[in-house]
Short mmCIF file of all heavy atoms in Angstrom, two decimals:
data_model
loop_
_atom_site.label_atom_id
_atom_site.label_comp_id
_atom_site.label_asym_id
_atom_site.label_seq_id
_atom_site.Cartn_x
_atom_site.Cartn_y
_atom_site.Cartn_z
N VAL A 168 34.35 48.97 -30.61
CA VAL A 168 34.23 48.84 -29.16
C VAL A 168 34.10 47.36 -28.82
O VAL A 168 33.80 46.53 -29.70
CB VAL A 168 32.99 49.60 -28.62
CG1 VAL A 168 33.14 51.10 -28.86
CG2 VAL A 168 31.71 49.08 -29.27
N LEU A 169 34.33 47.03 -27.54
CA LEU A 169 34.19 45.65 -27.10
C LEU A 169 32.70 45.30 -27.05
O LEU A 169 31.92 45.99 -26.37
CB LEU A 169 34.82 45.47 -25.71
CG LEU A 169 34.78 44.05 -25.14
CD1 LEU A 169 35.60 43.11 -26.03
CD2 LEU A 169 35.30 44.03 -23.71
N LEU A 170 32.32 44.26 -27.75
CA LEU A 170 30.90 43.86 -27.82
C LEU A 170 30.58 42.82 -26.76
O LEU A 170 31.40 41.94 -26.48
CB LEU A 170 30.59 43.30 -29.21
CG LEU A 170 30.78 44.25 -30.40
CD1 LEU A 170 30.48 43.51 -31.70
CD2 LEU A 170 29.88 45.47 -30.25
N GLN A 171 29.39 42.93 -26.19
CA GLN A 171 28.91 41.92 -25.26
C GLN A 171 28.58 40.64 -26.04
O GLN A 171 28.33 40.68 -27.26
CB GLN A 171 27.65 42.42 -24.54
CG GLN A 171 27.88 43.65 -23.69
CD GLN A 171 28.84 43.38 -22.54
OE1 GLN A 171 28.76 42.32 -21.91
NE2 GLN A 171 29.76 44.30 -22.31
N PRO A 172 28.56 39.50 -25.35
CA PRO A 172 28.28 38.23 -26.06
C PRO A 172 26.98 38.27 -26.85
O PRO A 172 26.91 37.77 -27.98
CB PRO A 172 28.22 37.21 -24.92
CG PRO A 172 29.13 37.78 -23.88
CD PRO A 172 28.94 39.26 -23.95
N TYR A 173 25.92 38.87 -26.26
CA TYR A 173 24.66 38.89 -27.00
C TYR A 173 24.73 39.81 -28.21
O TYR A 173 24.06 39.57 -29.23
CB TYR A 173 23.51 39.30 -26.07
CG TYR A 173 23.51 40.75 -25.65
CD1 TYR A 173 22.83 41.72 -26.41
CD2 TYR A 173 24.17 41.17 -24.50
CE1 TYR A 173 22.83 43.04 -26.03
CE2 TYR A 173 24.17 42.49 -24.11
CZ TYR A 173 23.50 43.43 -24.87
OH TYR A 173 23.49 44.75 -24.50
N GLU A 174 25.57 40.83 -28.14
CA GLU A 174 25.74 41.71 -29.30
C GLU A 174 26.52 41.00 -30.40
O GLU A 174 26.21 41.13 -31.59
CB GLU A 174 26.47 42.99 -28.87
CG GLU A 174 25.66 43.85 -27.92
CD GLU A 174 26.45 45.03 -27.37
OE1 GLU A 174 27.67 44.84 -27.07
OE2 GLU A 174 25.87 46.12 -27.24
N GLN A 175 27.52 40.21 -30.00
CA GLN A 175 28.27 39.43 -30.98
C GLN A 175 27.35 38.41 -31.66
O GLN A 175 27.40 38.22 -32.88
CB GLN A 175 29.43 38.71 -30.30
CG GLN A 175 30.47 39.64 -29.69
CD GLN A 175 31.59 38.87 -29.01
OE1 GLN A 175 31.83 37.72 -29.31
NE2 GLN A 175 32.25 39.53 -28.06
N ALA A 176 26.48 37.78 -30.84
CA ALA A 176 25.56 36.78 -31.41
C ALA A 176 24.61 37.44 -32.40
O ALA A 176 24.30 36.88 -33.46
CB ALA A 176 24.78 36.10 -30.29
N ALA A 177 24.13 38.64 -32.07
CA ALA A 177 23.21 39.34 -32.98
C ALA A 177 23.91 39.70 -34.29
O ALA A 177 23.32 39.60 -35.37
CB ALA A 177 22.68 40.60 -32.30
N LEU A 178 25.17 40.08 -34.19
CA LEU A 178 25.93 40.47 -35.39
C LEU A 178 26.14 39.26 -36.30
O LEU A 178 25.96 39.33 -37.52
CB LEU A 178 27.27 41.05 -34.96
CG LEU A 178 27.95 42.03 -35.91
CD1 LEU A 178 27.03 43.19 -36.24
CD2 LEU A 178 29.24 42.55 -35.30
N VAL A 179 26.53 38.13 -35.71
CA VAL A 179 26.74 36.91 -36.50
C VAL A 179 25.42 36.43 -37.10
O VAL A 179 25.36 35.99 -38.26
CB VAL A 179 27.37 35.81 -35.62
CG1 VAL A 179 27.41 34.48 -36.38
CG2 VAL A 179 28.77 36.22 -35.19
N SER A 180 24.34 36.53 -36.32
CA SER A 180 23.03 36.14 -36.83
C SER A 180 22.63 36.99 -38.03
O SER A 180 22.08 36.49 -39.02
CB SER A 180 21.98 36.26 -35.72
OG SER A 180 20.70 35.94 -36.20
N PHE A 181 22.93 38.29 -37.97
CA PHE A 181 22.62 39.17 -39.09
C PHE A 181 23.40 38.73 -40.33
O PHE A 181 22.86 38.69 -41.45
CB PHE A 181 22.98 40.61 -38.73
CG PHE A 181 22.91 41.56 -39.90
CD1 PHE A 181 21.68 42.07 -40.32
CD2 PHE A 181 24.04 41.92 -40.59
CE1 PHE A 181 21.61 42.92 -41.42
CE2 PHE A 181 23.98 42.78 -41.68
CZ PHE A 181 22.76 43.28 -42.09
N ALA A 182 24.68 38.41 -40.14
CA ALA A 182 25.50 38.00 -41.28
C ALA A 182 25.02 36.69 -41.89
O ALA A 182 25.13 36.48 -43.10
CB ALA A 182 26.96 37.88 -40.84
N GLU A 183 24.47 35.79 -41.05
CA GLU A 183 23.99 34.51 -41.56
C GLU A 183 22.66 34.66 -42.29
O GLU A 183 22.43 34.00 -43.31
CB GLU A 183 23.85 33.52 -40.41
CG GLU A 183 25.19 33.08 -39.81
CD GLU A 183 25.01 32.20 -38.60
OE1 GLU A 183 23.89 32.17 -38.02
OE2 GLU A 183 25.99 31.56 -38.19
N ARG A 184 21.79 35.51 -41.77
CA ARG A 184 20.46 35.66 -42.36
C ARG A 184 20.40 36.72 -43.44
O ARG A 184 19.51 36.70 -44.29
CB ARG A 184 19.44 35.98 -41.27
CG ARG A 184 19.28 34.91 -40.22
CD ARG A 184 18.29 35.34 -39.17
NE ARG A 184 17.00 35.70 -39.77
CZ ARG A 184 16.06 36.40 -39.14
NH1 ARG A 184 16.28 36.83 -37.91
NH2 ARG A 184 14.94 36.69 -39.74
N GLY A 185 21.33 37.67 -43.37
CA GLY A 185 21.28 38.81 -44.29
C GLY A 185 21.19 38.44 -45.76
O GLY A 185 20.38 39.02 -46.49
N PRO A 186 21.99 37.47 -46.25
CA PRO A 186 21.94 37.14 -47.68
C PRO A 186 20.58 36.66 -48.15
O PRO A 186 20.31 36.67 -49.35
CB PRO A 186 23.00 36.03 -47.81
CG PRO A 186 23.96 36.30 -46.70
CD PRO A 186 23.11 36.79 -45.56
N ARG A 187 19.71 36.25 -47.23
CA ARG A 187 18.38 35.79 -47.64
C ARG A 187 17.36 36.92 -47.59
O ARG A 187 16.18 36.71 -47.88
CB ARG A 187 17.93 34.64 -46.74
CG ARG A 187 18.81 33.40 -46.84
CD ARG A 187 18.14 32.18 -46.24
NE ARG A 187 17.98 32.28 -44.80
CZ ARG A 187 18.91 31.91 -43.92
NH1 ARG A 187 20.06 31.41 -44.35
NH2 ARG A 187 18.70 32.03 -42.64
N LEU A 188 17.80 38.11 -47.22
CA LEU A 188 16.90 39.27 -47.14
C LEU A 188 17.15 40.20 -48.33
O LEU A 188 18.20 40.13 -48.98
CB LEU A 188 17.15 40.04 -45.84
CG LEU A 188 17.01 39.23 -44.54
CD1 LEU A 188 17.39 40.12 -43.35
CD2 LEU A 188 15.60 38.69 -44.38
N THR A 189 16.19 41.06 -48.59
CA THR A 189 16.38 42.04 -49.65
C THR A 189 17.40 43.08 -49.20
O THR A 189 17.64 43.25 -47.99
CB THR A 189 15.06 42.74 -49.99
OG1 THR A 189 14.62 43.48 -48.83
CG2 THR A 189 13.98 41.74 -50.38
N GLN A 190 17.97 43.80 -50.17
CA GLN A 190 18.94 44.83 -49.82
C GLN A 190 18.31 45.91 -48.93
O GLN A 190 18.93 46.39 -47.97
CB GLN A 190 19.51 45.45 -51.11
CG GLN A 190 20.55 46.53 -50.89
CD GLN A 190 21.80 46.01 -50.19
OE1 GLN A 190 22.13 44.83 -50.31
NE2 GLN A 190 22.50 46.88 -49.48
N ALA A 191 17.05 46.26 -49.26
CA ALA A 191 16.38 47.29 -48.47
C ALA A 191 16.19 46.84 -47.02
O ALA A 191 16.37 47.64 -46.08
CB ALA A 191 15.02 47.61 -49.10
N ARG A 192 15.84 45.56 -46.84
CA ARG A 192 15.63 45.05 -45.48
C ARG A 192 16.97 44.97 -44.73
O ARG A 192 17.04 45.28 -43.54
CB ARG A 192 15.00 43.66 -45.55
CG ARG A 192 14.73 43.02 -44.18
CD ARG A 192 13.82 43.85 -43.33
NE ARG A 192 13.47 43.18 -42.07
CZ ARG A 192 13.06 43.80 -40.98
NH1 ARG A 192 12.91 45.12 -40.98
NH2 ARG A 192 12.77 43.12 -39.90
N GLN A 193 18.04 44.60 -45.45
CA GLN A 193 19.36 44.57 -44.80
C GLN A 193 19.75 45.97 -44.32
O GLN A 193 20.25 46.15 -43.20
CB GLN A 193 20.41 44.07 -45.79
CG GLN A 193 20.28 42.59 -46.15
CD GLN A 193 21.37 42.13 -47.10
OE1 GLN A 193 22.55 42.31 -46.81
NE2 GLN A 193 20.99 41.55 -48.21
N GLU A 194 19.51 46.96 -45.16
CA GLU A 194 19.87 48.33 -44.78
C GLU A 194 19.02 48.81 -43.60
O GLU A 194 19.49 49.50 -42.70
CB GLU A 194 19.70 49.26 -45.98
CG GLU A 194 20.69 48.97 -47.10
CD GLU A 194 20.49 49.86 -48.31
OE1 GLU A 194 19.66 50.79 -48.23
OE2 GLU A 194 21.16 49.63 -49.33
N GLU A 195 17.75 48.42 -43.63
CA GLU A 195 16.85 48.82 -42.54
C GLU A 195 17.35 48.27 -41.21
O GLU A 195 17.37 48.97 -40.18
CB GLU A 195 15.44 48.31 -42.83
CG GLU A 195 14.40 48.69 -41.77
CD GLU A 195 13.04 48.11 -42.09
OE1 GLU A 195 12.90 47.44 -43.13
OE2 GLU A 195 12.11 48.30 -41.28
#
Side-chain angles (χ1 to χ4, degrees):
V168 296
L169 182 63
L170 299 178
Q171 297 296 319
Y173 71 90
E174 294 173 321
Q175 297 179 23
L178 205 56
V179 172
S180 178
F181 171 80
E183 291 175 343
R184 298 178 55 196
R187 297 195 293 272
L188 304 176
T189 64
Q190 180 63 27
R192 180 59 175 157
Q193 291 182 54
E194 293 178 7
E195 181 183 359

